[in-house]
Amino acid sequence: MPQRPGQPRPLSETPRLRPLFLALRTLCIATAASMATAGLLVPQAAYAQAAPAPDSRELKRFDIAAGPLEGVLNQLGRDTGVLITFESKLTEGMRSPGVRGSHTVQQALAQALEGTGLGMVRAAGGGYALRTLPAMASTSTAAATAPASGTTLAEVRVVDTAPVGGPTEGTGAYTTRSASTATHFALSPRETPQSISVVTRQQMDDQGLVSVPEILDKTPGVTVGRNDSERATFYARGFPIENFQFDGVPSTLDTSNQYTTAIGDSIVYDRVEIVKGATGLLTGAGYPSATINLVRKRPTAEFAGSLSFGAGSWDRLRTTADFSGPLNASGSVRARIVAAAQNANSYVDYYKRDTRNLYGVIEADLTPDTLLTVGVDHMTSRADGATFGHLPLFYSDGTQTRFSRSLNPASRWSYWDNDSTNTFASLKHDFGGGWKLDVAASHLDQSKDVWFGSAYNGSVDRYTGQGIRMLSGLLPSESKTDAVNVALTGPFTLGGRTHELMLGAGYSRQHQQAELHNTVFTTVPNYFAWDGYIQQPASPKRADRDTVIAEKGVSAALRLRPADALSVIVGARASWYRLHDQSTGVAGDISVDDDLNVRAKIIPYAGIVYDLDRTWSVYASYTDIFHPQTYYKDANDRPIAPLTGKSTEVGVKAEFLDRRVNASLALFHVKQNNSAQYVSVNDDTGNEIYKAVDGITSKGLEMEVAGQITPSWNLSAGYTFRTSRQPQQQDVILSAVNTNQPRHLVKLNTSYRLPGEWSKWVVGGSLTWQSRTYYETSDDNHWRADQPAYAVVGLMARYEFDRHLSMTLNINNLFDKTYMPGLGSYGTGVYGDPRNALLTVNYKF
């Protein structure tokens, strides 16, 4: 299973912030200047000219209630995909009649500004400009859309862009305008006082990313460790990621399934947002690694659809279908249904995995201010020849093994079947004046049926092939999770300035039931002759385990704006956590394995963002860490004590090219107590044994840039440096430090539409480079397995026959690099995929 990490020096040892920020800003400016010199950046005016505004004559339906002008304009910007920026003093004290009915963008703006003395004009770059009208000017639509004249009027620029907080589908961008994953406030990446990465629908389509592990494998600062053929552990800043959200709503997943049964196919998602660091304000319990927000696709106002067929290496066949549109004449009820199916063999001998995904959602405008959403997503996977752990890492003399990538340690009769159904509903109500209520509920059913037999336990005699045992047994389990979350957000005025308030409450209850069967060890006579053909041993049932995890919490946060350039977020969450874990033996005897009850655990959160100018900001954030570790058991098969600690972050952010490009640089520092330290495997149960270790620290640096460098060129790139430290303990190697995670990590993803006669071609690629990692055994031998630094390169090319039909070729691991991204899991090694390709034909209508 995943190991535990370690980290950096205290912030008190870092240089003073102002000189550091100035140095970082100088570095970023120099980088941008060098890109411009090389012709990689284009003037902003040229960009605006090349990317014209959407047709403003198109009628759109609006239901924006009367209220403060600032709130109405902000809502109008979100609904139209037009970013409206202005100084608070321009709209201070003004009210708007709101916007209702079907209008063009200009008509909607005119209605919002009626009676305010303000009007708007088209700007040269294809956007709009908001101006104070002369006293004799009419506030009608005609006056509001009159040509610009004169130079004495106060002006605020309005720039056409992707919708704020809206879908990334159809924008063609590698970034988004806002995200609420960290605080539930709809903030731009620059306004969020933490590092944030976004993988958009366009990037998924460009690079053929069909699963969440593949998406995270392309995310800056995130690594994907493979535990075996079916499970992956995601890491950020050296720690496992276990916090997930669906559409911004925190959700509890069955840890023992390692998330594979609940996160399904990428065809379901519009984008994936990853906020680095601890996010205790919304999630309560969690690691200081990251929170992953899986944002599902939503129904569209107009009918749209797509069909695709893909074929690739190892007999891979993939089909998808996606249909969306209104269900009634008025468009007040809309629906979307998405399906995906994939069958695939593998480069690993006799391993095969088939998946099916189905997603359906309906939206209904109950009133102009109330939106009801109900939906369900379902996933099944069936894997034959599935592994549990992977290849032995050591020969009996302590040297590292070098087996073929195709060797499968699983028995021929091994299988791993997953099923997951997530039913959800939400109700959103706009009270007017910017105040909104979000209520969300979900019911998640997960199950797995596993018969594993995997030959990996022990070390191999390099001459006789002896020394390995096959670990086998049954692992059937079910998990049901019910969750409800409520959030109220809105602006208020204090001291003549507008601020924001968020109030939240949540409850979740997870009930896990599992049959516990005896684990059987079978000696493998000669591992060099292993072919998976071995008798299936009996795995008698010894007990039934029943685990209930209930968590509830309330949170509150203020986003204060004491000055135009300053934003301060302060808040806290009070969490109640209850775990009851008991086993009932076959003879009827009941034993309580754990009974944890945490009352009113307070988790503070603080963040500050200061705008140096219209492009650059500096920020800092802090939160506590609290995470019950139910999976990690001690020698008595009881969970170790909850993880605690502190997480801090400082950095600088920037927006370029009318916010089409986001850039950031962050320094982070984390300190943890009760980190899980791997000890050994319990021969009686087959479970891993851990102990708690205090004083694990981790620190590092993250740099990232993402967005549209030009209308034809998308880029997502990042660099991460991380170092972890442990308290001095003689003769102990701490897996809590996660030496299987790199200190240096570089990721680059890009696509480019060729100019002129070649404009039907889009080409691109990806690069992942990471520094050396290693795994060292915790016993007295201290054997060590190394994975040298390596790079993996991918290429893509798409030809668009017309606006409906396209064909995309993705080649992964172009140079066929042999590497192990799963080094050390269960003391074994897992190889990354060899070179492979996928050809996809897509038709949109």
Side-chain angles (χ1 to χ4, degrees):
M1 283 322 288
Q3 307 169 338
R4 270 330 62 153
Q7 8 215 160
R9 68 184 177 190
L11 286 178
S12 59
E13 296 181 26
T14 61
R16 280 198 263 184
L17 300 186
R18 184 64 182 174
L20 173 62
F21 287 142
L22 290 176
L24 296 179
R25 183 182 177 189
T26 302
L27 174 62
C28 292
I29 292 175
T31 302
S34 64
M35 293 174 69
T37 302
L40 302 184
L41 297 182
V42 297
Q44 186 163 318
Y47 192 112
Q49 187 174 15
D55 189 350
S56 59
R57 295 171 297 177
E58 180 181 346
L59 292 178
K60 300 177 183 294
R61 186 172 178 270
F62 298 94
D63 288 300
I64 304 175
L69 178 59
E70 180 175 347
V72 171
L73 290 178
N74 285 335
Q75 182 62 44
L76 183 60
R78 286 190 285 269
D79 290 348
T80 60
V82 174
L83 177 63
I84 306 174
T85 58
F86 49 85
E87 295 182 3
S88 296
K89 64 183 180 181
L90 193 63
T91 57
E92 187 175 338
M94 290 189 177
R95 291 188 62 81
S96 167
V99 184
R100 295 183 183 273
S102 295
H103 305 285
T104 64
V105 174
Q106 292 100 325
Q107 290 169 346
L109 275 169
Q111 189 175 127
L113 298 173
E114 186 174 351
T116 64
L118 300 174
M120 63 90 181
V121 296
R122 289 297 297 266
Y128 302 95
L130 188 66
R131 295 190 176 189
T132 303
L133 295 176
M136 72 286 295
S138 167
T139 59
S140 67
T141 301
T145 57
S149 62
T151 58
T152 60
L153 302 180
E155 178 177 322
V156 175
R157 195 126 181 276
V158 182
V159 182
D160 289 317
T161 183
V164 177
T168 66
E169 186 179 24
T171 66
Y174 274 24
T175 190
T176 187
R177 297 297 172 181
S178 70
S180 58
T181 305
T183 62
H184 207 84
F185 295 121
L187 306 177
S188 69
R190 180 181 168 189
E191 294 171 322
T192 303
Q194 289 180 252
S195 295
I196 182 169
S197 301
V198 180
V199 179
T200 64
R201 184 70 254 168
Q202 186 65 53
Q203 185 175 344
M204 295 182 219
D205 292 340
D206 284 350
Q207 296 171 355
L209 310 178
V210 303
S211 68
V212 172
E214 290 179 6
I215 292 170
L216 296 176
D217 208 29
K218 301 296 184 184
T219 302
V222 177
T223 60
V224 179
R226 300 187 185 182
N227 304 326
D228 44 44
S229 64
E230 305 309 301
R231 296 172 298 171
T233 299
F234 312 132
Y235 294 89
R237 299 183 174 179
F239 301 99
I241 304 173
E242 293 191 354
N243 286 343
F244 287 83
Q245 297 177 10
F246 290 91
D247 300 328
V249 178
S251 299
T252 302
L253 301 182
D254 183 357
T255 307
S256 66
N257 280 337
Q258 295 293 293
Y259 324 124
T260 55
T261 65
I263 52 183
D265 196 286
S266 70
I267 191 67
V268 171
Y269 304 115
D270 172 79
R271 64 189 181 277
V272 178
E273 300 174 354
I274 304 96
V275 173
K276 315 291 177 55
T279 53
L281 183 61
L282 296 185
T283 58
Y287 286 111
S289 50
T291 293
I292 299 169
N293 184 14
L294 303 166
V295 183
R296 302 181 182 99
K297 291 178 176 179
R298 290 300 186 189
T300 56
E302 303 294 335
F303 175 76
S306 68
L307 295 170
S308 76
F309 175 79
S313 303
W314 311 307
D315 302 321
R316 181 182 181 185
L317 297 176
R318 173 177 171 81
T319 59
T320 69
D322 185 351
F323 300 99
S324 179
L327 297 182
N328 59 357
S330 66
S332 61
V333 181
R334 302 164 298 278
R336 188 164 193 165
I337 186 166
V338 181
Q342 178 170 291
N343 295 348
N345 293 327
S346 172
Y347 66 94
V348 177
D349 293 338
Y350 56 88
Y351 173 71
K352 179 182 181 180
R353 189 169 191 260
D354 299 338
T355 61
R356 302 291 185 267
N357 289 264
L358 182 64
Y359 165 65
V361 61
I362 297 176
E363 288 184 345
D365 299 324
L366 301 183
T367 74
D369 303 312
T370 307
L371 174 67
L372 173 67
T373 303
V374 294
V376 60
D377 64 68
H378 175 74
M379 171 193 168
T380 64
S381 66
R382 301 290 182 263
D384 295 328
T387 66
F388 188 87
H390 218 74
L391 297 172
L393 275 176
F394 300 102
Y395 289 114
S396 55
D397 59 5
T399 57
Q400 187 173 346
T401 59
R402 292 287 188 271
F403 292 114
S404 166
R405 287 184 288 187
S406 63
L407 179 61
N408 191 344
S411 64
R412 297 277 178 163
W413 39 260
S414 294
Y415 67 87
W416 190 306
D417 297 343
N418 288 325
D419 289 274
S420 172
T421 302
N422 194 352
T423 306
F424 60 92
S426 68
L427 186 71
K428 299 178 183 292
H429 180 73
D430 190 335
F431 293 100
W435 282 91
K436 295 182 179 181
L437 175 68
D438 290 355
V439 182
S442 65
H443 175 76
L444 175 62
D445 275 321
Q446 298 172 268
S447 67
K448 72 174 187 283
D449 179 17
V450 180
W451 232 123
F452 72 92
S454 205
Y456 72 83
N457 183 257
S459 56
V460 186
D461 186 292
R462 64 169 56 249
Y463 301 107
T464 66
Q466 297 177 352
I468 296 297
R469 299 184 299 174
M470 179 185 71
L471 186 70
S472 62
L474 278 166
L475 286 176
S477 69
E478 293 183 356
S479 174
K480 299 181 184 297
T481 304
D482 294 299
V484 178
N485 284 271
V486 180
L488 177 67
T489 58
F492 65 95
T493 301
L494 179 66
R497 302 193 64 83
T498 300
H499 314 279
E500 294 178 82
L501 172 67
M502 185 279 292
L503 300 174
Y507 171 80
S508 68
R509 183 181 186 273
Q510 183 182 64
H511 185 195
Q512 302 176 15
Q513 294 177 299
E515 292 183 6
L516 303 182
H517 291 253
N518 286 340
T519 302
V520 179
F521 289 89
T522 304
T523 299
V524 177
N526 181 358
Y527 197 67
F528 298 135
W530 172 262
D531 59 5
Y533 289 105
I534 191 170
Q535 184 176 353
Q536 183 175 3
S539 181
K541 179 179 173 179
R542 58 184 175 85
D544 289 303
R545 169 167 280 178
D546 197 281
T547 307
V548 176
I549 302 173
E551 184 174 9
K552 58 184 177 181
V554 293
S555 56
L558 287 169
R559 184 172 183 249
L560 304 174
R561 301 300 303 267
D564 287 344
L566 181 63
S567 168
V568 179
I569 299 176
V570 290
R573 178 182 173 94
S575 291
W576 289 258
Y577 188 94
R578 179 67 191 270
L579 164 69
H580 184 79
D581 186 11
Q582 71 177 35
S583 299
T584 303
V586 292
D589 53 307
I590 298 176
S591 62
V592 176
D593 301 307
D594 194 38
D595 193 16
L596 176 66
N597 192 3
V598 179
R599 299 178 181 273
K601 176 67 177 180
I602 305 298
I603 303 171
Y605 180 92
I608 184 171
V609 179
Y610 180 73
D611 297 336
L612 300 176
D613 53 34
R614 295 185 61 179
T615 300
W616 298 89
S617 300
V618 292
Y619 74 94
S621 62
Y622 167 87
T623 189
D624 279 354
I625 303 164
F626 169 73
H627 186 56
Q629 305 182 93
T630 58
Y631 178 82
Y632 300 100
K633 306 294 179 66
D634 61 18
N636 297 316
D637 208 31
R638 294 180 180 274
I640 63 177
L643 184 78
T644 60
K646 303 180 185 300
S647 175
T648 53
E649 181 176 332
V650 297
V652 56
K653 293 188 177 184
E655 297 170 333
F656 303 105
L657 302 176
D658 287 340
R659 302 179 65 186
R660 291 178 174 87
V661 176
N662 290 294
S664 64
L665 188 153
L667 302 175
F668 60 88
H669 182 277
V670 184
K671 184 175 182 179
Q672 289 189 157
N673 292 323
N674 296 327
S675 296
Q677 158 67 34
Y678 173 79
V679 177
S680 62
V681 174
N682 188 319
D683 282 351
D684 294 330
T685 66
N687 295 333
E688 291 180 300
I689 299 174
Y690 291 84
K691 67 178 181 180
V693 177
D694 290 341
I696 303 297
T697 61
S698 180
K699 63 181 177 181
L701 173 149
E702 290 177 335
M703 300 176 65
E704 183 173 349
V705 59
Q708 288 181 295
I709 306 299
T710 74
S712 300
W713 182 20
N714 271 312
L715 176 70
S716 170
Y719 165 72
T720 303
F721 168 77
R722 175 201 61 87
T723 180
S724 299
R725 300 196 182 280
Q726 62 201 33
Q728 293 298 321
Q729 297 188 31
Q730 187 175 4
D731 297 330
V732 173
I733 302 298
L734 295 182
S735 60
V737 177
N738 275 341
T739 59
N740 66 351
Q741 295 303 296
R743 297 185 68 181
H744 301 274
L745 178 65
V746 174
K747 293 195 177 183
L748 172 67
N749 309 282
T750 188
S751 67
Y752 179 73
R753 181 178 296 278
L754 299 179
E757 297 179 357
W758 294 87
S759 61
K760 290 186 176 183
W761 284 96
V762 177
V763 297
S766 63
L767 167 69
T768 297
W769 176 88
Q770 68 173 51
S771 59
R772 177 185 60 88
T773 59
Y774 68 92
Y775 166 77
E776 190 163 351
T777 62
S778 298
D779 57 21
D780 294 336
N781 291 323
H782 296 315
W783 290 345
R784 175 165 165 167
D786 285 281
Q787 170 57 63
Y790 66 88
V792 177
V793 176
L795 292 181
M796 65 81 60
R798 180 171 61 251
Y799 183 78
E800 298 174 353
F801 298 92
D802 53 36
R803 65 188 184 93
H804 299 291
L805 182 64
S806 66
M807 183 168 60
T808 304
L809 175 65
N810 294 98
I811 301 176
N812 303 305
N813 196 358
L814 177 67
F815 300 109
D816 202 23
K817 180 66 177 179
T818 299
Y819 63 100
M820 282 191 168
L823 193 68
S825 177
Y826 294 104
T828 67
V830 182
Y831 286 112
D833 292 352
R835 180 170 51 238
N836 62 93
L838 177 66
L839 181 66
T840 304
V841 178
N842 184 269
Y843 184 81
K844 296 181 179 180
F845 46 88

